[in-house]
Amino acid sequence: METKRPLILITNDDGHAAKGLHKLTALMRTLGDVAVISTDEVMSAKSHSCTIHEKLRVRLIREEAGFVEFRCNGTPVDCVKLAYQKLLPRNPDLVVSGINHGTNAASTVVYSGTIGAVVEACMNGLNAIGFSLDSLSPEADFGHTDTAVLQITKRVLKKGLPQGVCLNVNFPKRSDEPLKGIQLCRQANCRWVEYFKEQFDENGEQYYDLSGELVSDDIVSGTDLFAIRSNHVAVVPTCYDWTAHACLETMKDFETISI
Amino acid sequence: METKRPLILITNDDGHAAKGLHKLTALMRTLGDVAVISTDEVMSAKSHSCTIHEKLRVRLIREEAGFVEFRCNGTPVDCVKLAYQKLLPRNPDLVVSGINHGTNAASTVVYSGTIGAVVEACMNGLNAIGFSLDSLSPEADFGHTDTAVLQITKRVLKKGLPQGVCLNVNFPKRSDEPLKGIQLCRQANCRWVEYFKEQFDENGEQYYDLSGELVSDDIVSGTDLFAIRSNHVAVVPTCYDWTAHACLETMKDFETISI
């Protein structure tokens, strides 16, 4: 008797034309039925934002046996909401996002549209994984990611993830050496140091161009940044409970503040 | 000898005209020198998004002794980045965001532009507090929040917050009863159940309107939702480490996956 193929929902934040999306789609089609819902525009750094003030539009792009593709003018989070609540015949067995062009390791996760989609799925009880590559190049080489993407996905399809937990998977840029293996990591602490370059437009009006670099004093064993730098695949079990639980004891004196 | 007044940076996600922003500004001006940088547009549900593909513009609106106001076309996170990196003469002693029209309690924190700004400040080593009221009304009554906003702010100005921790403070809607006090809470688990209403524009093209309601099966003692419903001020110590730390042991088998 044939086992039912799993239904896998794919989205990303680099838009429908991204090489990383096509790579992930090709890989997932070997594992199950696939629905892709990507964004019209590049949605990098859109975090967990969703569309509440503009008109949200969706177009069916392609449909064939075991495959359907939509495109949406919203954010990655909108894509996930729309897909599982309106567009798909049933809840997907898994939501995957990526493969992102650019790392989503360490604290930069807070800016990520790729991981926004993953967290949204997780909040709704769906298994979800975000895949990212430490290269911003549109022509980035994803060839070294195939086996790990497939094996991690198979593991999650088979055993599921704990409730309230999704995966943030980051790959190092391709090097001459093969990947050394998977490391289960905590998110390293880091921040962007930005440069706001003052520019002037054609009307002489000032604006700012944002650029910057990632700085971290936390690239130590056990972190995702350390894993990537040593050519490992970094897997961070990720949650949306932002409570600093240790402080629930140490800051108890707040309850004595007279209001 | 006169003590130097603290410098307090204020932003929000409801835009420059919001009543909650004006309330927070009036309160903070009794405690220190104040810089307001708000957004041109309403930025609700913009989460931690920042502007990397559009031109970021800032205008000086008003400047007087101990007070300066800017307005920006970006997101609340852009406001914080711009303010402390470009616009202010020195790092603010405190960043406050709000008072938001609408709750940012429980897991809805992930969507919040108000809290996006607070987390951004926290990532850069600044003390930061987000204030929100459980009422979406533009004319909401903030009269019951004054003492708690002032006292919590004074406490943070005096003693600071632990590194990597900011505060997400949520007020119940004003009722006939006075507030019962402050509760230090964990973030309750919840999710939005959305309705995507199919609409048609003037050209007959379909679009979706997003609306929805918050559902939670976690309104239990110790959570922010429980505190608010019992007319307490909910204070959640909040962090940007999203690692599901307990899973670093339980999911160790991921490291045995052959890639």
Side-chain angles (χ1 to χ4, degrees):
Chain A
M1 200 178 76
E2 202 188 16
T3 315
K4 202 169 133 194
R5 281 166 68 82
L7 176 59
I8 302 172
L9 173 64
I10 306 180
T11 190
N12 75 336
D13 78 356
D14 290 319
H16 63 90
K19 187 176 172 185
L21 178 72
H22 300 160
K23 161 59 85 176
L24 190 56
T25 303
L27 290 172
M28 292 301 114
R29 291 189 75 174
T30 70
L31 299 178
D33 291 349
V34 163
V36 175
I37 176 163
S38 56
T39 59
D40 288 334
E41 309 285 338
V42 174
M43 287 282 157
S44 300
K46 291 295 180 192
S47 186
H48 210 103
S49 61
C50 61
T51 301
I52 52 178
H53 295 301
E54 296 102 48
K55 292 182 168 67
L56 201 56
R57 298 180 194 274
V58 180
R59 300 191 315 286
L60 175 65
I61 303 294
R62 192 152 65 106
E63 188 165 20
E64 58 192 51
F67 183 76
V68 62
E69 182 182 357
F70 297 95
R71 215 164 284 164
C72 165
N73 68 340
T75 67
V77 166
D78 292 326
C79 287
V80 171
K81 284 181 187 293
L82 270 167
Y84 91 90
Q85 295 204 32
K86 285 303 272 192
L87 306 174
L88 299 185
R90 61 181 176 91
N91 269 0
D93 300 285
L94 177 69
V95 178
V96 291
S97 183
I99 301 174
N100 193 59
H101 294 247
T103 181
N104 283 309
S107 321
T108 58
V109 70
V110 302
Y111 302 101
S112 171
T114 305
I115 302 301
V118 170
V119 168
E120 178 63 29
C122 181
M123 289 175 77
N124 287 285
L126 306 172
N127 289 314
I129 315 171
F131 294 105
S132 307
L133 177 71
D134 191 12
S135 166
L136 286 167
S137 167
E139 299 308 323
D141 186 344
F142 290 92
H144 60 311
T145 67
D146 292 14
T147 310
V149 168
L150 287 172
Q151 294 304 322
I152 291 168
T153 303
K154 279 184 192 173
R155 164 64 168 73
V156 172
L157 281 171
K158 192 170 169 191
K159 298 193 184 178
L161 291 168
Q163 198 180 359
V165 176
C166 51
L167 297 185
N168 181 15
V169 178
N170 282 275
F171 287 92
K173 198 172 165 175
R174 186 166 199 171
S175 73
D176 295 337
E177 302 292 317
L179 291 169
K180 284 188 183 147
I182 291 173
Q183 286 190 347
L184 196 72
C185 308
R186 72 169 171 86
Q187 173 192 316
N189 198 13
C190 77
R191 65 187 190 102
W192 279 98
V193 175
E194 279 92 5
Y195 314 105
F196 288 96
K197 205 167 157 189
E198 286 162 49
Q199 309 269 29
F200 292 88
D201 67 15
E202 58 282 9
N203 300 319
E205 283 185 51
Q206 193 193 54
Y207 68 92
Y208 291 99
D209 244 6
L210 175 64
S211 63
E213 61 174 337
L214 193 72
V215 294
S216 174
D217 56 4
D218 190 30
I219 309 179
V220 298
S221 177
T223 66
D224 50 3
L225 287 186
F226 188 86
I228 295 165
R229 297 223 178 159
S230 59
N231 207 29
H232 287 84
V233 183
V235 175
V236 178
T238 297
C239 66
Y240 52 86
D241 177 6
W242 297 1
T243 313
H245 283 276
C247 294
L248 293 179
E249 287 307 317
T250 58
M251 291 171 59
K252 206 72 180 168
D253 64 301
F254 268 83
E255 297 195 345
T256 65
I257 294 173
S258 178
I259 61 166
Chain B
M1 201 177 78
E2 200 187 16
T3 315
K4 203 169 132 194
R5 280 166 68 82
L7 176 58
I8 302 173
L9 172 64
I10 306 180
T11 190
N12 77 335
D13 78 354
D14 290 321
H16 62 90
K19 187 176 172 185
L21 177 73
H22 300 159
K23 163 59 86 175
L24 191 56
T25 303
L27 291 171
M28 292 302 114
R29 290 189 75 174
T30 70
L31 299 178
D33 291 348
V34 164
V36 175
I37 175 163
S38 57
T39 59
D40 289 332
E41 309 284 338
V42 175
M43 288 281 156
S44 300
K46 291 295 180 191
S47 185
H48 209 103
S49 60
C50 61
T51 301
I52 52 177
H53 295 301
E54 296 101 49
K55 292 183 169 66
L56 200 57
R57 298 180 194 274
V58 180
R59 300 191 313 287
L60 175 66
I61 303 295
R62 192 153 64 108
E63 189 165 20
E64 58 192 50
F67 182 75
V68 61
E69 182 182 357
F70 298 94
R71 215 164 283 163
C72 164
N73 67 341
T75 66
V77 167
D78 293 326
C79 288
V80 171
K81 285 181 189 289
L82 269 167
Y84 91 90
Q85 295 204 31
K86 284 303 273 192
L87 305 174
L88 298 185
R90 61 182 177 92
N91 268 0
D93 299 286
L94 178 68
V95 178
V96 292
S97 182
I99 301 173
N100 194 59
H101 295 247
T103 182
N104 283 310
S107 321
T108 58
V109 70
V110 302
Y111 302 101
S112 170
T114 304
I115 302 301
V118 170
V119 169
E120 179 62 29
C122 181
M123 289 175 77
N124 287 285
L126 305 172
N127 289 313
I129 314 172
F131 294 105
S132 307
L133 178 71
D134 191 13
S135 166
L136 286 167
S137 166
E139 299 308 322
D141 186 344
F142 290 92
H144 60 312
T145 67
D146 292 15
T147 310
V149 167
L150 288 172
Q151 293 305 322
I152 291 169
T153 303
K154 279 184 192 172
R155 164 64 170 72
V156 173
L157 280 172
K158 192 172 170 189
K159 298 193 186 177
L161 291 168
Q163 199 180 357
V165 175
C166 51
L167 297 186
N168 180 14
V169 177
N170 282 275
F171 286 92
K173 197 172 165 175
R174 186 166 199 169
S175 73
D176 296 338
E177 301 293 317
L179 292 169
K180 284 190 181 142
I182 291 174
Q183 285 191 347
L184 195 71
C185 309
R186 71 168 172 87
Q187 172 191 314
N189 199 11
C190 76
R191 66 188 191 102
W192 280 96
V193 175
E194 279 93 4
Y195 314 105
F196 288 96
K197 205 168 159 189
E198 286 162 50
Q199 310 269 28
F200 291 88
D201 67 15
E202 59 280 9
N203 300 319
E205 284 185 50
Q206 193 194 51
Y207 67 93
Y208 292 98
D209 244 6
L210 176 64
S211 63
E213 62 175 334
L214 194 71
V215 295
S216 174
D217 56 4
D218 190 30
I219 309 179
V220 298
S221 177
T223 66
D224 49 4
L225 287 185
F226 188 85
I228 294 165
R229 298 226 179 157
S230 60
N231 207 31
H232 287 84
V233 183
V235 175
V236 177
T238 297
C239 65
Y240 51 86
D241 177 6
W242 297 1
T243 312
H245 284 275
C247 294
L248 293 179
E249 286 308 316
T250 58
M251 291 171 59
K252 206 70 181 170
D253 63 301
F254 269 83
E255 298 195 344
T256 65
I257 294 174
S258 178
I259 61 166

